[in-house]
Amino acid sequence: MKTVVLGGGIIGVTTAYFLAKAGHDVTVIERQPDVGLETSFANGGLVTPSMSEPWAGPGVPLKALKWLGKADAPLLFRLRSDPAMWRWALRFLRNCTAARARVNTLRSLRIAAYSLEVLRALRAETGLTYDEQGLGVLYLFRDRKAIDGFADHIALVRENGIQVNPLDPKGVAALEPALAEIVGDLAGGMHLPGDESGDAFKFTNALKHEAEKAGVTFRFGIEIRGLQVNGDRVEATLTQNGAIMADNFVLALGSYTPLLAKTVGLGIPVYPVKGYSVTLPMHGWNQRPRIPVLDDHLKVAVTPLGDRLRGAGTAEVTGYDTADFPARSANIVRAMRAVYPGCADAGGDRHWCGLRPMTPDGPPILGATRLRNLFLNTGHGSLGWTMACGSGRVVADLVAGRKPDIDLEGLTLERYE
């Protein structure tokens, strides 16, 4: 059976790999010259099922209003006359309740935890390396109120099998000596030993080679212009090089999925939310960090990736604008230096920004559509790396007509219908 995967980011490549292993003749279509060159290129590097809490939650609307117009705000809406933005924003607001946040956390946690299992099995099977580390993730708090505010989420993930180890400031420094210089600024921390990190771009490229060995064909530099439909099926994807026929099609185009789906009358509630990262070299550091940290106050993740240190954060709702606003990147650099003052003179900064495909409620959208042979793998937001392997495996199982290993309640397009 021939299957075409549209999109060559980490989601598309994992989907293609698992489809090929299931016996499909797979072709990946990508507009870029290689895999992983958009949202998968320089994200925060975290694989964190424990951080499955959605952005839509109690208190977020008030914070967003306070942050309007502030260039360094963690969440910034650049309001536009874009109906899709306003529809998404209204749905986002409807999910900003404690009850909805709990439901959406559990849905995201289900696919995230499964995905980590699949990633570990894949790593054991293939021997892939991608600057990975399994020392967990360290969450930092700079005041007691923040720790107390995190209690409900910690209780929820613990109930669902996630290990969380509370630490006082001295315990934080004992676990990660590179943080010793800022211990006096901390109220405490939480160590999440089951989480991981690694370079998503390196992983995507390594898995591409495994996929090619399994028979996947990658076609780069091809612009996807539409889908050709006959009745309740897609016959072909339309490109500048003509039509590409197949038995099945998977949309894994990240933030651009809704634009293509719209051409065949499908409404996909995914909207781009821009995130930024800055990568610094760690050459010459006497005390290199080993463990990724998430700073609750600064709203930044700082992740060691081999001989590099990456800071990532911010959320900017600004449509499909991929411009790098220097004030946003500068804020990440300041936050990195507030966590690790030793990186202040490292030099060689590499700045990047990319569009996260966000659903208004948080969980991704996986699986079937009303078109019998068209499947979705999109809407992972800031957890695309965390959810990639599990989502790819689930969608491959669905295309192959197999029952997935996890319950897909609340993870499909049906929840919006």
Side-chain angles (χ1 to χ4, degrees):
M1 184 146 323
K2 183 171 183 179
T3 299
V4 166
V5 176
L6 304 178
I10 193 170
I11 300 298
V13 173
T14 52
T15 306
Y17 173 81
F18 286 114
L19 280 166
K21 298 298 281 186
H24 285 239
D25 176 6
V26 185
T27 299
V28 175
I29 308 298
E30 168 57 46
R31 66 179 180 179
Q32 296 288 354
D34 209 332
V35 299
L37 292 177
E38 294 197 22
T39 305
S40 307
F41 183 68
N43 62 25
L46 300 179
V47 181
T48 51
S50 63
M51 295 294 107
S52 295
E53 187 176 25
W55 287 6
V60 172
L62 181 59
K63 290 178 181 178
L65 285 173
K66 289 167 57 178
W67 289 332
L68 276 176
K70 295 183 178 180
D72 61 349
L75 174 60
L76 178 63
F77 280 82
R78 296 187 188 273
L79 302 180
R80 297 168 174 261
S81 56
D82 178 357
M85 174 188 282
W86 290 102
R87 286 194 298 270
W88 183 91
L90 288 173
R91 278 176 157 163
F92 180 88
L93 289 172
R94 286 198 292 269
N95 280 279
C96 289
T97 67
R100 293 305 307 164
R102 179 181 176 85
V103 168
N104 292 327
T105 298
L106 290 174
R107 288 171 173 175
S108 292
L109 180 58
R110 191 187 327 137
I111 181 64
Y114 173 65
S115 190
L116 182 53
E117 292 178 10
V118 176
L119 170 61
R120 288 170 173 166
L122 177 62
R123 192 167 62 220
E125 176 186 342
T126 63
L128 292 182
T129 61
Y130 46 92
D131 288 334
E132 73 281 0
Q133 70 82 25
L135 299 175
V137 173
L138 183 56
Y139 214 99
L140 304 181
F141 299 94
R142 295 182 183 248
D143 61 71
R144 186 71 228 178
K145 184 178 178 182
I147 296 176
D148 294 341
F150 204 58
D152 287 345
H153 177 70
I154 290 301
L156 182 60
V157 298
R158 275 178 165 162
E159 288 171 12
N160 288 272
I162 301 292
Q163 184 179 351
V164 184
N165 300 329
L167 300 169
D168 61 17
K170 289 183 179 180
V172 168
L175 183 66
E176 178 50 272
L179 293 169
E181 194 170 347
I182 67 161
V183 162
D185 299 328
L186 301 179
M190 301 278 181
H191 182 220
L192 308 156
D195 289 347
E196 296 188 1
S197 65
D199 189 320
F201 177 66
K202 285 189 174 183
F203 173 86
T204 304
N205 277 271
L207 190 61
K208 168 197 168 187
H209 295 304
E210 293 296 323
E212 287 176 325
K213 287 193 288 185
V216 176
T217 299
F218 288 86
R219 297 182 62 181
F220 297 112
I222 296 180
E223 180 185 345
I224 301 164
R225 295 178 175 173
L227 298 171
Q228 181 175 305
V229 174
N230 184 5
D232 63 352
R233 296 180 63 84
V234 176
E235 289 186 334
T237 183
L238 306 176
T239 76
Q240 86 270 25
N241 296 336
I244 299 173
M245 313 289 286
D247 300 297
N248 298 293
F249 297 84
V250 178
L251 298 189
L253 294 164
S255 296
Y256 296 91
T257 299
L259 304 184
L260 185 60
K262 187 178 179 180
T263 67
V264 292
L266 289 176
I268 310 297
V270 167
Y271 199 75
V273 177
K274 184 159 56 176
Y276 291 75
S277 76
V278 177
T279 306
L280 304 175
M282 289 199 291
H283 301 300
W285 281 33
N286 293 323
Q287 186 69 65
R288 289 189 182 188
R290 302 171 305 121
I291 301 175
V293 301
L294 286 156
D295 191 302
D296 176 76
H297 176 71
L298 299 173
K299 306 300 182 190
V300 68
V302 186
T303 307
L305 295 170
D307 60 359
R308 300 158 294 148
L309 187 68
R310 178 167 297 159
T314 82
E316 187 177 329
V317 185
T318 184
Y320 288 87
D321 181 359
T322 57
D324 180 0
F325 285 86
R328 306 291 280 170
S329 295
N331 193 48
I332 291 178
V333 174
R334 284 193 295 271
M336 293 175 74
R337 291 171 178 171
V339 175
Y340 294 115
C343 76
D345 300 317
D349 302 15
R350 295 185 63 185
H351 294 229
W352 173 88
C353 61
L355 301 179
R356 308 180 184 104
M358 298 288 295
T359 60
D361 50 355
I365 304 174
L366 310 176
T369 69
R370 61 173 175 78
L371 295 169
R372 290 171 51 201
N373 63 336
L374 181 65
F375 298 82
L376 301 174
N377 196 351
T378 189
H380 301 81
S382 60
L383 294 175
W385 184 194
T386 296
M387 298 179 175
C389 289
S391 296
R393 177 66 181 271
V394 162
V395 172
D397 284 343
L398 292 170
V399 174
R402 298 191 302 230
K403 183 179 179 181
D405 293 332
I406 63 169
D407 181 5
L408 295 186
E409 184 279 325
L411 296 174
T412 70
L413 191 57
E414 289 183 353
R415 72 182 188 267
Y416 300 110
E417 297 174 346

